[in-house]
Amino acid sequence: MDHKHFLVTGATSGIGYELVKQLHYHGARLTLLIRDEEKATQLFPTKSFPNISFIVCDLNDTTAIENLSSDFQKLNVSFDGFIHSAGLGYFKSLASHTTEELLKTYRLNVIHFAVLLNVIKPFLVTNPQIVALSSMSGLATQPYAAHYGASKAALIQILNALRIEEPSYHVLNVILGPVKTPFHDHSDPSGTFKRKTALFMLKPEQVAKDIIVAMNKGHQELRAPKWMSMMLRLYSLAPRTIEKAAKPFFMSKKQ
Ligand SMILES: NC(=O)c1ccc[n+]([C@@H]2O[C@H](COP(=O)([O-])OP(=O)(O)OC[C@H]3O[C@@H](n4cnc5c(N)ncnc54)[C@H](OP(=O)(O)O)[C@@H]3O)[C@@H](O)[C@H]2O)c1
């Protein structure tokens, strides 16, 4: 990671925060796209994180993302990699989603990832690393988190296509089960999902470590936890039957 320059989203919380701390420790230079400068400055004070800089950009705002191009030109930067950790979801029924919640989910998780990819393309080195955090929710039926699951399924499809359309890119798809982060305070303020999954929630520090190992080894996919990944492979053989047989498991996101 020595001296490599990464552009990172979602660095002010959870997995992205751990990842940036660890990448900085390993000698990387990082430019963070953040929406709250005060929070970012508190988390990454220049004295302790001299190789981290911020660009304020609300990733819910398409024009702000398109305007990044002129920021990058002014800074005369090139990036060795792009890490998209920003993401959100609402664990509620299809009928309960407001239009704004629905739009925010797809914009942040998938549409603006695609826009960002195009915006940063001229500023990427020839063999860049593209890392995106998808989710096991994108691989299975998701009652009470359908738009979250659908947005992650779309993200997975974009990553699969990107790997083939841009063979010089190293694309890493990080497919995760539940991780203990503030994500759940927003997705399910009732705390029900967090309680149901407390026993097997992954630790963000370990997830970040595993992502860096996968980046260094050039892996195309990282799945954690392994047992959940195995279950999903079985599910894909007979999804409708397994939906019926293991219904309580599929209802974990119901509040
Ligand atoms: N946690 C899990 O159980 C889990 C499981 C599977 C996959 N994932 C995926 O992993 C990724 C990271 O999740 P996490 O648990 O680390 O989430 P998190 O703790 O909620 O962090 C989300 C990050 O996204 C940023 N963000 C949200 N909206 C934004 C916007 N409009 N503009 C700019 N930044 C914005 C947040 O910024 P602020 O700090 O300003 O809020 C924060 O830095 C997400 O894509 C998530 O879907 C998480």
Side-chain angles (χ1 to χ4, degrees):
M1 293 302 161
D2 240 2
H3 306 302
K4 282 198 172 166
H5 188 182
F6 293 96
L7 180 72
V8 187
T9 71
T12 47
S13 180
I15 302 161
Y17 175 56
E18 289 302 329
L19 196 49
V20 162
K21 279 195 300 182
Q22 292 184 29
L23 284 169
H24 186 269
Y25 175 79
H26 287 294
R29 191 178 146 210
L30 298 131
T31 297
L32 314 182
L33 295 181
I34 47 108
R35 61 174 168 179
D36 181 344
E37 196 165 12
E38 206 179 313
K39 183 177 181 184
T41 314
Q42 270 171 16
L43 292 174
F44 302 109
T46 315
K47 217 170 161 193
S48 315
F49 297 96
N51 294 329
I52 293 185
S53 54
F54 314 123
I55 297 178
V56 177
C57 179
D58 181 353
L59 296 176
N60 198 29
D61 179 345
T62 314
T63 312
I65 295 171
E66 286 169 343
N67 288 343
L68 283 171
S69 195
S70 55
D71 287 306
F72 297 153
Q73 258 162 18
K74 270 186 223 143
L75 295 169
N76 194 19
V77 283
S78 83
F79 298 110
D80 297 283
F82 168 44
I83 301 171
H84 186 55
S85 188
L88 64 77
Y90 299 93
F91 292 180
K92 47 166 71 173
S93 69
L94 286 162
S96 315
H97 275 76
T98 65
T99 306
E100 191 50 28
E101 286 171 343
L102 199 152
L103 290 171
K104 270 169 125 176
T105 303
Y106 290 103
R107 274 194 213 116
L108 186 64
N109 294 356
V110 59
I111 298 171
H112 286 169
F113 169 71
V115 175
L116 264 166
L117 266 184
N118 287 346
V119 168
I120 65 171
K121 193 169 198 276
F123 305 96
L124 292 172
V125 297
T126 319
N127 301 104
Q129 287 198 307
I130 307 294
V131 181
L133 278 83
S134 68
S135 167
M136 298 221 180
S137 306
L139 300 175
T141 305
Q142 289 296 306
Y144 302 96
H147 291 300
Y148 179 65
S151 69
K152 292 298 185 181
L155 176 63
I156 291 170
Q157 287 304 328
I158 289 178
L159 295 171
N160 286 337
L162 183 68
R163 190 179 308 113
I164 294 170
E165 287 186 22
E166 301 285 358
S168 71
Y169 287 19
H170 165 223
V171 179
L172 171 62
N173 179 6
V174 182
I175 307 179
L176 297 172
V179 187
K180 198 171 179 207
T181 72
F183 177 91
H184 301 284
D185 303 334
H186 315 297
S187 61
D188 173 13
S190 75
T192 312
F193 182 74
K194 212 156 65 173
R195 271 195 303 280
K196 282 183 188 167
T197 56
L199 274 180
F200 56 87
M201 268 199 174
L202 300 165
K203 293 191 174 64
E205 301 82 356
Q206 187 58 49
V207 170
K209 241 185 230 172
D210 293 345
I211 293 173
I212 293 174
V213 170
M215 287 169 75
N216 282 331
K217 289 189 171 170
H219 291 172
Q220 297 182 338
E221 212 172 84
L222 166 65
R223 292 182 180 226
K226 292 278 177 261
W227 64 267
M228 198 178 277
S229 171
M230 291 295 287
M231 275 174 63
L232 283 170
R233 285 189 200 282
L234 279 178
Y235 158 85
S236 67
L237 298 176
R240 301 294 87 86
T241 310
I242 292 175
E243 263 170 44
K244 277 190 209 131
K247 196 168 175 192
F249 186 77
F250 286 87
M251 300 302 272
S252 64
K253 288 177 175 125
K254 187 167 191 230
Q255 294 182 15

